[in-house]
Amino acid sequence: MRQGRYLYAPLLVLLCAHRSFSYFVTVDAHAEECFFDKVSSGTKLGLTFEVVEGGFLDIDVKIVGPDSKVIYTGERETSGRYTFASHMDGVYTYCFSNQMSSMTPKTIMFNMEVGEAPKDHPDTDDGHHNKLEEMVAELSTGLTSVKHEQEYMEVRERIHRMINDNTNSRVVWWSVFEAFILVCMTFGQIYYLRRFFEVKRVI
């Protein structure tokens, strides 16, 4: 039973060591959307975001601590990734601002990652057990990073596909417009030549 408990503990660490949430949010023009996370001091926090639709694909980003201290700020960013450790207990605020836009809403995909809160490790002779927990926690961090990277690549692929579709659509409509102009010019020239060579009879 003792060995079974040792094998079960790393699984709990793998499931609970990190919390990661993925969201899609639309920020209207002249608006700001904020999200909150309550953590303990020393907890590792991370924010990954990508503007997927709207305008020039840019957004203002700000992270504020419980003491109203600005931890990170960025203007007109298309994507970004920022990791930091909480400096005190309390609620941390992540804000996306679209104040610069006059009419275009922006759609943003972002991840809020919350690491395991720091804790005191009691003295124990079971060094192998602690080492195994650390290895599983590192594995969990790596898997979370891979998951975020896959989501990031999916969003990038969707953006490029949307740009390609829009470009192809514009090329098609421009080709149709050019063909219409050519047809009109052809009929216009035929009509003009027929009128030019027409014999007018004077009665």
Side-chain angles (χ1 to χ4, degrees):
M1 287 296 296
R2 183 179 181 83
Q3 183 178 3
R5 288 198 300 270
Y6 285 177
L7 293 176
Y8 184 65
L11 295 178
L12 291 177
V13 175
L14 179 61
L15 294 174
C16 303
H18 293 81
R19 289 187 292 126
S20 178
F21 305 96
S22 297
Y23 302 95
F24 278 89
V25 62
T26 299
V27 185
D28 293 328
H30 299 297
E32 183 179 69
E33 296 288 344
C34 294
F35 301 84
F36 309 92
D37 230 330
K38 185 176 182 180
V39 298
S40 302
S41 177
T43 302
K44 184 178 179 181
L45 302 173
L47 174 67
T48 304
F49 67 93
E50 175 85 17
V51 184
V52 299
E53 186 178 355
F56 294 102
L57 302 179
D58 56 348
I59 199 75
D60 294 341
V61 185
K62 183 169 62 175
I63 302 176
V64 182
D67 53 353
S68 299
K69 175 184 177 181
V70 177
I71 300 173
Y72 174 79
T73 181
E75 295 183 355
R76 298 183 178 274
E77 296 189 347
T78 299
S79 62
R81 182 177 300 171
Y82 186 73
T83 303
F84 64 99
S86 57
H87 60 279
M88 63 182 296
D89 296 348
V91 177
Y92 288 77
T93 306
Y94 308 83
C95 291
F96 298 99
S97 175
N98 195 22
Q99 298 285 349
M100 91 289 284
S101 180
S102 58
M103 63 177 62
T104 307
K106 309 288 178 64
T107 301
I108 307 164
M109 185 207 77
F110 67 98
N111 298 319
M112 297 167 58
E113 182 179 354
V114 182
E116 185 180 14
K119 57 184 179 181
D120 297 330
H121 296 282
D123 296 334
T124 177
D125 296 333
D126 194 2
H128 176 72
H129 182 207
N130 293 335
K131 183 66 177 179
L132 185 60
E133 285 188 356
E134 293 176 1
M135 292 175 62
V136 175
E138 292 178 1
L139 178 61
S140 174
T141 303
L143 291 175
T144 302
S145 299
V146 171
K147 175 177 176 291
H148 289 172
E149 196 66 29
Q150 288 178 337
E151 293 175 347
Y152 174 79
M153 294 305 296
E154 288 177 1
V155 171
R156 294 296 299 174
E157 189 272 336
R158 181 172 19 172
I159 292 174
H160 288 302
R161 185 173 65 248
M162 181 178 62
I163 293 174
N164 291 335
D165 291 342
N166 290 337
T167 303
N168 292 336
S169 177
R170 291 177 181 178
V171 169
V172 170
W173 282 110
W174 179 253
S175 300
V176 171
F177 176 73
E178 286 184 329
F180 176 76
I181 295 297
L182 288 174
V183 171
C184 291
M185 290 178 63
T186 301
F187 281 104
Q189 289 177 352
I190 293 173
Y191 176 77
Y192 175 77
L193 291 174
R194 290 184 63 182
R195 291 291 301 271
F196 182 79
F197 290 105
E198 188 180 59
V199 178
K200 296 184 178 180
R201 296 180 181 181
V202 178
I203 301 177

